[in-house]
Amino acid sequence: MNTYNLKWDLDSLFPGESNSKEFESYVQKTEQFMLQLKDKVEALSFENQEGDAALLTGVLDILQTVTRRIREIGAFVSCLTAQDVKDIKAKEWLAKRSQLGADYSNILTKLDEKLVEVGDQHWEGLLQEDSLSPVSYVLEERRKRAKEKLPADQESLINDLSVDGYHAWGQVYNSIVGKMTISVEGKELSVGQASNKLSSSNREVRKEAAGKLQEAWEEKSDLFTETLNHLAGFRLQTYKHRGWNNTLKEPLDINRMNKQTLHAMWNAITKYKKYYTKYLSRKADLLGLDKLAIYDVGAPIGGADQKLSYDEGAAFIIEQFGKFSPKMAEFAEMAFDKRWIEAEDRPGKRPGGFCTSFPDSKETRIFMTYSGTPSNVATLAHELGHAYHQHVMNDLPILNQGYAMNVAETASTFAEMIVADAAVKHAKNETEKAVLLEDKVQRSVAFFMNIHARFLFETRFYEERKQGMVPTARLNELMVDAQREAYQEALGEYDPYFWASKLHFHITGVPFYNFPYTFGYLFSLGIYAQSLKEGKEFENKYISLLQDTGKMRVEDLAEKHLGVNLEQQEFWEDAMKVCTEDVEEFLKLTAGTTAE
């Protein structure tokens, strides 16, 4: 078995990390490219089709260079700030990234203004030119969205004000959380380390960790009430001036998804939740409880905590990926070998996990805190799925690499499913099988109940925020009400401060950082079912599907590659039936079993 380093290598990208002279030079060169792009965009005018196509192609060439470099900078800064929340220089780069992002957005806004000015017939002709047709979907999408926004000078003002307004509130939240310490079992832990204790087999440890975490969130709740309200307020004011009444418009547009698809998905999930309330009741029996508290949902049922070393987890992931796709396994092994993964369990890291792409270097980096639980192995597989998705996109035009979060979560969840399903099939006995099945079902509960609670909370919070600031007490009420509904009253205790503890509510990149996860999970089931039928023959089809994710709406993607209609509840119900098979098998295996 190979021995892998748990710390990632950032020096291969820019030596010296936050003090890297190479990175500083890279940023300066990017600023020069941005000035060139700005000049080209401002000089762009449309007069005749043949000449206009050449001019626009020239603009897009330098735009793609700038886009690659902006994303490279953003990814590196994300890594710096995640690995050490006390890195002062990294925070300076974070501010620089925000400014570059605003400048970049302003250039794009100006470009959009120019695109909108082109007559419809002339525009259609331009998109058919050989030099522009490969990116025609993205160009058409930009033009359509620009028509729905404010004039360019007002959109630029919004971009500029967001640096020290909107994005700053998100950074304040990250700074506060990064400095928090939680005392559990006599040890001072980071938020991420303390949260890992919620998967302990010892209920007293889980209860203590949950209580200490809640105390910490409560202590900072006034600050987080400010951050959440101001983030939402900024968005709502922007929507108001654009004339957007529906707060779901932006997240649906970002995810290239129709509201009919979203409603069909949630309706199907709600219809099949009865299976999951039975599962939660059975798990309570197995743990010797009348009802689970929310901090019991992630508890293992197998007694002693199962642990896999990092090397064991890596070997298992590579092996299982290989049974589906040799190319995917080869990629995963490379990621471990080249130290693209930061997994060390140490204080000072930000909580959570992510995968970020370096499109100029054609590399990725994965961030998480690995403590050896089955959930950690699943998370690692999940993030490697993200990384593989970007890997197969690397040679496409950068404008066609902008896939939405919901299809990004499809690739990651698909990878996670390969590993989880393999673990169940390789169980040594029925007891181990029940434990592994429960781990799979637990993830379904996260997608169908936990994330549904987030969606319900955020939807209702935004409606109330339109009337003014929502106080802490009301945020707690909204959160508990959403959890009760999403879990269908199956739990005995809920988490009123979940709105404060969940980073996703405070992310400024996109609003409603919730439903795309559930979409990705269920959509990936359809892909997974097809892969099981076709075996390794499906590998190239899967790659083709991933490569289309940056230039199609999800409904068209599903029709082309799976032959299904996402706006109909039938597809989602079929996917739910696949999920509930795991629940039914778990209930059979644990029938008559109670806590000792």
Side-chain angles (χ1 to χ4, degrees):
M1 184 183 295
N2 289 341
T3 300
Y4 298 113
N5 195 316
L6 276 77
K7 295 185 72 172
W8 59 17
D9 175 18
L10 297 183
D11 277 349
S12 63
L13 294 161
F14 297 104
E17 300 193 347
S18 60
N19 293 307
S20 171
K21 296 298 182 186
E22 286 83 351
F23 182 59
E24 186 175 351
S25 175
Y26 186 89
V27 171
Q28 291 170 352
K29 185 66 175 176
T30 301
E31 290 177 309
Q32 293 172 17
F33 278 123
M34 287 177 69
L35 289 174
Q36 294 174 31
L37 176 61
K38 183 180 179 182
D39 290 341
K40 280 185 173 290
V41 169
E42 289 180 347
L44 184 63
S45 62
F46 295 91
E47 296 172 1
N48 65 81
Q49 188 163 307
E50 186 175 346
D52 291 350
L55 283 173
L56 185 54
T57 300
V59 170
L60 295 183
D61 285 343
I62 189 168
L63 172 62
Q64 299 207 83
T65 296
V66 169
T67 301
R68 278 194 300 271
R69 296 177 75 94
I70 285 287
R71 292 183 186 174
E72 189 97 354
I73 291 166
F76 191 65
V77 173
S78 293
C79 291
L80 294 176
T81 55
Q83 70 175 3
D84 182 3
V85 297
K86 296 179 181 178
D87 187 337
I88 303 299
K89 185 63 176 177
K91 290 180 180 178
E92 293 175 13
W93 282 123
L94 189 63
K96 183 65 174 179
R97 182 184 71 176
S98 294
Q99 185 58 59
L100 285 171
D103 293 343
Y104 175 69
S105 295
N106 287 339
I107 295 172
L108 290 178
T109 298
K110 188 64 177 178
L111 174 62
D112 291 344
E113 182 184 38
K114 297 286 181 113
L115 300 183
V116 169
E117 291 172 357
V118 185
D120 291 346
Q121 189 173 352
H122 187 28
W123 177 252
E124 289 174 11
L126 280 174
L127 293 185
Q128 293 172 15
E129 294 288 332
D130 291 344
S131 60
L132 296 174
S133 61
V135 292
S136 60
Y137 173 83
V138 176
L139 290 175
E140 176 61 24
E141 182 182 55
R142 291 205 66 85
R143 186 169 180 265
K144 178 179 178 293
R145 290 182 180 178
K147 288 181 177 181
E148 298 175 336
K149 291 185 177 182
L150 294 164
D153 58 341
Q154 294 181 41
E155 288 291 338
S156 292
L157 180 61
I158 291 171
N159 292 333
D160 289 340
L161 292 176
S162 70
V163 175
D164 290 312
Y166 180 55
H167 297 303
W169 283 111
Q171 290 166 18
V172 167
Y173 174 85
N174 290 334
S175 295
I176 297 169
V177 174
K179 293 176 182 177
M180 290 170 64
T181 57
I182 317 293
S183 178
V184 182
E185 295 184 291
K187 295 180 181 177
E188 292 298 316
L189 305 177
S190 68
V191 168
Q193 290 175 313
S195 297
N196 278 338
K197 296 290 184 181
L198 299 177
S199 60
S200 170
S201 61
N202 186 328
R203 190 169 197 251
E204 291 305 311
V205 173
R206 295 197 304 274
K207 188 173 183 179
E208 181 190 2
K212 292 293 182 63
L213 281 163
Q214 184 162 316
E215 286 175 12
W217 298 120
E218 183 176 7
E219 182 185 342
K220 305 287 188 185
S221 62
D222 287 347
L223 292 171
F224 296 141
T225 296
E226 292 282 335
T227 59
L228 190 65
N229 271 279
H230 289 311
L231 285 169
F234 192 98
R235 281 179 184 143
L236 289 171
Q237 284 298 315
T238 302
Y239 296 167
K240 175 184 172 183
H241 287 279
R242 287 175 180 165
W244 299 356
N245 296 319
N246 184 0
T247 53
L248 282 172
K249 174 179 170 48
E250 185 180 32
L252 286 171
D253 282 350
I254 289 170
N255 284 283
R256 293 169 174 154
M257 181 176 172
N258 296 335
K259 64 179 180 180
Q260 293 91 335
T261 297
L262 180 64
H263 292 322
M265 181 187 79
W266 284 130
N267 289 339
I269 288 169
T270 300
K271 182 176 178 179
Y272 282 83
K273 276 189 182 179
K274 58 188 177 183
Y275 289 90
Y276 294 94
T277 57
K278 289 179 184 177
Y279 153 76
L280 292 170
S281 177
R282 176 62 55 81
K283 183 165 183 173
D285 290 342
L286 294 171
L287 296 178
L289 303 168
D290 292 331
K291 267 189 172 184
L292 298 177
I294 200 161
Y295 56 78
D296 295 316
V297 174
I301 62 165
D305 295 334
Q306 288 184 302
K307 295 288 183 180
L308 277 179
S309 71
Y310 184 64
D311 292 336
E312 290 169 336
F316 186 72
I317 288 170
I318 293 167
E319 180 186 358
Q320 302 314 321
F321 280 4
K323 292 175 182 177
F324 160 72
S325 164
K327 292 177 183 176
M328 198 170 169
E330 182 181 344
F331 170 78
E333 188 167 14
M334 177 186 69
F336 286 111
D337 283 336
K338 291 191 172 183
R339 294 175 56 198
W340 286 5
I341 304 165
E342 168 55 57
E344 189 176 39
D345 188 350
R346 67 174 189 274
K349 293 171 66 172
R350 59 152 272 195
F354 64 79
C355 173
T356 190
S357 302
F358 291 80
D360 211 16
S361 304
K362 294 189 176 181
E363 296 187 7
T364 54
R365 290 295 185 274
I366 289 168
F367 178 87
M368 65 172 297
T369 299
Y370 188 91
S371 60
T373 66
S375 177
N376 287 158
V377 178
T379 297
L380 189 49
H382 181 101
E383 301 302 343
L384 281 164
H386 280 305
Y388 184 66
H389 189 173
Q390 178 57 42
H391 177 68
V392 301
M393 304 281 277
N394 277 338
D395 292 329
L396 300 178
I398 189 69
L399 292 180
N400 286 345
Q401 292 183 32
Y403 48 90
M405 180 183 165
N406 52 354
V407 286
E409 293 308 324
T410 295
S412 57
T413 311
F414 180 76
E416 185 178 339
M417 203 173 302
I418 290 172
V419 172
D421 202 32
V424 171
K425 289 176 181 176
H426 288 81
K428 300 182 182 70
N429 51 54
E430 286 196 350
T431 300
E432 183 179 76
K433 187 175 184 180
V435 170
L436 293 169
L437 261 177
E438 196 272 335
D439 194 58
K440 274 186 79 180
V441 176
Q442 198 180 111
R443 283 197 288 282
S444 292
V445 168
F447 290 117
F448 303 151
M449 292 175 152
N450 186 304
I451 288 177
H452 196 195
R454 301 182 207 179
F455 176 77
L456 292 171
F457 166 82
E458 199 156 15
T459 303
R460 293 162 185 173
F461 162 64
Y462 268 87
E463 288 307 306
E464 293 202 13
R465 182 65 182 86
K466 289 177 181 178
Q467 311 307 318
M469 295 284 283
V470 182
T472 303
R474 181 57 181 154
L475 290 171
N476 289 350
E477 288 177 6
L478 287 171
M479 192 73 256
V480 171
D481 287 347
Q483 289 172 343
R484 287 184 184 281
E485 181 177 339
Y487 285 92
Q488 299 204 325
E489 302 284 353
L491 305 181
E493 293 179 44
Y494 297 93
D495 182 0
Y497 288 98
F498 188 68
W499 61 268
S501 66
K502 196 63 198 174
L503 170 68
H504 292 173
F505 292 126
H506 302 263
I507 283 176
T508 58
V510 292
F512 282 83
Y513 205 95
N514 42 60
F515 70 81
Y517 278 107
T518 303
F519 175 98
Y521 181 65
L522 284 177
F523 187 50
S524 65
L525 279 173
I527 299 170
Y528 185 58
Q530 196 161 332
S531 76
L532 293 176
K533 290 178 186 175
E534 299 187 27
K536 290 183 180 177
E537 303 261 327
F538 188 68
E539 181 178 38
N540 289 331
K541 288 185 182 179
Y542 179 59
I543 291 172
S544 294
L545 182 149
L546 294 181
Q547 289 175 332
D548 273 347
T549 53
K551 56 182 180 181
M552 298 182 79
R553 292 189 65 80
V554 293
E555 290 83 9
D556 297 329
L557 189 73
E559 177 65 36
K560 177 180 177 180
H561 293 279
L562 300 177
V564 297
N565 184 348
L566 297 185
E567 294 181 350
Q568 299 296 317
Q569 202 165 309
E570 181 183 1
F571 168 79
W572 302 106
E573 288 198 23
D574 287 344
M576 289 300 296
K577 289 172 186 174
V578 174
C579 295
T580 56
E581 287 175 5
D582 286 337
V583 181
E584 290 179 321
E585 189 172 3
F586 173 78
L587 292 173
K588 286 178 184 177
L589 286 172
T590 57
T593 306
T594 56
E596 296 181 2

